[in-house]
């Protein structure tokens, strides 16, 4: 039997877990680590490091010890599916390419889903020591202070975030046309290399919006609840509700949402 979870209580466990995993990742960042190609994208550009693996093992072990009946979905090993109503969705290191190049923009993303609803999420940036979190109905926070999306309603005054998939050179669904369209209409566009942090930055108003076309559940699950609790809006590129394996995502301050969806839809 699985005991029911209170989102506001479990988010405290998640915050500690993200801090500890972040410290682990930061220790690899200061020292030596091995980089391997996952072989899932041409030229081996989709990589994994010792830090991804160590962070993932640490997080999975902690969840396994504390919540043995819960299921877990992670990027590198994708284990544990028993039909529990609770599913942990983990990106142990989002921004691996940045990490591998000593580019200090990466984070740890931990989400908990109950049935099909994400009830809590934490994203931790171990370089800036910034922890973003939210529990369903409990608001969104950055290091203890309540956060809110921006109030910018005019796209030409907006700064947007986006990203490109690892198969960008092989697939025409590579976000290049969408990027070319949006860059002419927004004040600026940034490609940070960490979708999880991009979402956290939408939640705290540093970005007015973010979109990407081929993400995975571990990239966006924690970010969805954090943006929504910060009063932002998250849908897929068609304006429909996000689903676990939905891939495309548009997350905004809600004011520019329809406009951004419209621009992305007009790409041929
Ligand atoms: C990647 C990052 C990147 C996004 C890619 C993701 P990873 O995750 O979030 O910003 O553009 O689509 O795959 O591989 O660093 O965990
Ligand atoms: Ca990721
Ligand atoms: Ca990752």
């Amino acid at each position: 039997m699985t005991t029911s979870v209170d989102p506001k209580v479990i988010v405290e466990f998640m915050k500690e877990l993200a801090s500890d995993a972040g410290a682990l990742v930061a220790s690899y960042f200061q020292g030596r680590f091995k980089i391997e190609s996952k072989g899932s994208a041409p030229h081996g550009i989709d990589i994994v490091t010792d830090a991804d693996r160590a962070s993932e093992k640490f997080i999975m072990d902690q969840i396994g010890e504390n919540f043995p009946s819960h299921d877990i979905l992670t990027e590198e090993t994708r284990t544990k599916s028993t039909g529990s109503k609770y599913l942990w969705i983990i990106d142990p290191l989002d921004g691996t390419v940045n990490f591998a190049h000593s580019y200090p923009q990466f984070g740890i993303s931990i989400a908990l889903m109950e049935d099909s609803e994400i009830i809590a999420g934490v994203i931790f940036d171990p370089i800036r020591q910034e922890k973003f979190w939210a529990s369903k109905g409990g608001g969104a926070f950055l290091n203890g202070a309540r956060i809110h999306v921006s109030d910018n309603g005019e796209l030409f005054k907006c700064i947007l975030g986006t990203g490109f998939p690892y198969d960008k050179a092989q697939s025409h669904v590579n976000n290049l046309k969408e990027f070319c369209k949006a860059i002419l209409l927004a004040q600026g566009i940034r490609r940070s290399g960490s979708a999880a942090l991009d979402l956290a930055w939408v939640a705290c108003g540093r970005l007015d919006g973010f979109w990407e076309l081929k993400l995975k559940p571990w990239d966006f699950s924690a970010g969805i609840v954090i943006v929504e609790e910060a009063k932002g809006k998250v849908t897929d590129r068609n304006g429909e509700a996000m689903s676990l394996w939905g891939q495309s995502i548009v997350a905004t301050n809600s004011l520019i949402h329809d406009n951004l969806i419209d621009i992305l839809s007009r790409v041929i």
Side-chain angles (χ1 to χ4, degrees), residues 28-264:
Y28 279 92
F29 195 61
Q30 306 303 334
R32 291 167 68 84
F33 53 85
K34 210 164 71 214
I35 305 171
E36 275 172 58
S37 164
K38 294 202 240 186
S40 51
H43 310 297
I45 63 168
D46 194 1
I47 56 172
V48 59
T49 71
D50 296 346
D52 299 70
R53 293 210 166 101
S55 172
E56 182 161 299
K57 181 173 181 332
F58 173 77
I59 295 170
M60 286 187 74
D61 288 351
Q62 292 297 313
I63 295 170
E65 263 173 42
N66 289 278
F67 303 98
S69 63
H70 291 189
D71 284 347
I72 311 177
L73 173 66
T74 62
E75 179 173 10
E76 309 306 340
T77 46
R78 296 177 202 194
T79 46
K80 203 149 179 246
S81 177
T82 65
S84 165
K85 69 172 179 167
Y86 291 109
L87 176 67
W88 292 81
I89 306 168
I90 314 294
D91 195 331
L93 203 183
D94 184 63
T96 298
V97 172
N98 286 345
F99 179 93
H101 287 263
S102 303
Y103 187 96
Q105 177 78 0
F106 49 83
I108 286 84
S109 176
I110 302 175
L112 180 61
M113 186 180 248
E114 177 176 352
D115 298 320
S116 53
E117 183 180 49
I118 301 156
I119 58 167
V122 178
I123 296 168
F124 181 49
D125 172 347
I127 298 296
R128 294 182 184 81
Q129 290 287 306
E130 288 187 334
K131 195 179 298 152
F132 301 83
W133 74 85
S135 57
K136 201 78 203 169
F141 298 85
L142 163 54
N143 288 354
R146 196 85 183 226
I147 51 172
H148 203 279
V149 291
S150 70
D151 59 3
N152 204 342
E154 292 165 300
L155 204 63
F156 64 89
K157 289 186 184 158
C158 285
I159 184 165
L160 306 175
T162 193
F164 303 91
Y166 287 110
D167 64 352
K168 57 192 183 296
Q170 287 70 39
S171 164
H172 67 280
V173 188
N174 60 7
N175 202 22
L176 286 182
K177 286 184 184 151
E178 287 80 356
F179 175 81
C180 288
K181 190 102 194 167
I183 188 72
L184 300 178
L185 299 167
Q187 185 173 32
I189 299 187
R190 303 290 177 262
R191 194 286 193 251
S192 87
S194 166
L197 287 182
D198 288 339
L199 288 164
W201 286 27
V202 170
C204 70
R206 292 176 191 163
L207 293 173
D208 303 292
F210 165 78
W211 86 93
E212 210 170 318
L213 303 186
K214 284 184 174 170
L215 289 184
K216 297 287 191 330
W218 41 85
D219 299 311
F220 58 62
S221 291
I224 289 177
V225 67
I226 297 172
V227 171
E228 287 180 345
E229 286 295 322
K231 304 282 179 253
K233 185 166 178 179
V234 187
T235 66
D236 68 12
R237 68 177 298 175
N238 302 311
E240 304 292 333
M242 289 292 297
S243 61
L244 187 61
W245 293 99
Q247 297 203 352
S248 76
I249 184 167
V250 180
T252 69
N253 62 9
S254 93
L255 299 173
I256 59 160
H257 204 85
D258 293 348
N259 199 353
L260 185 54
I261 295 264
D262 187 49
I263 289 159
L264 299 177

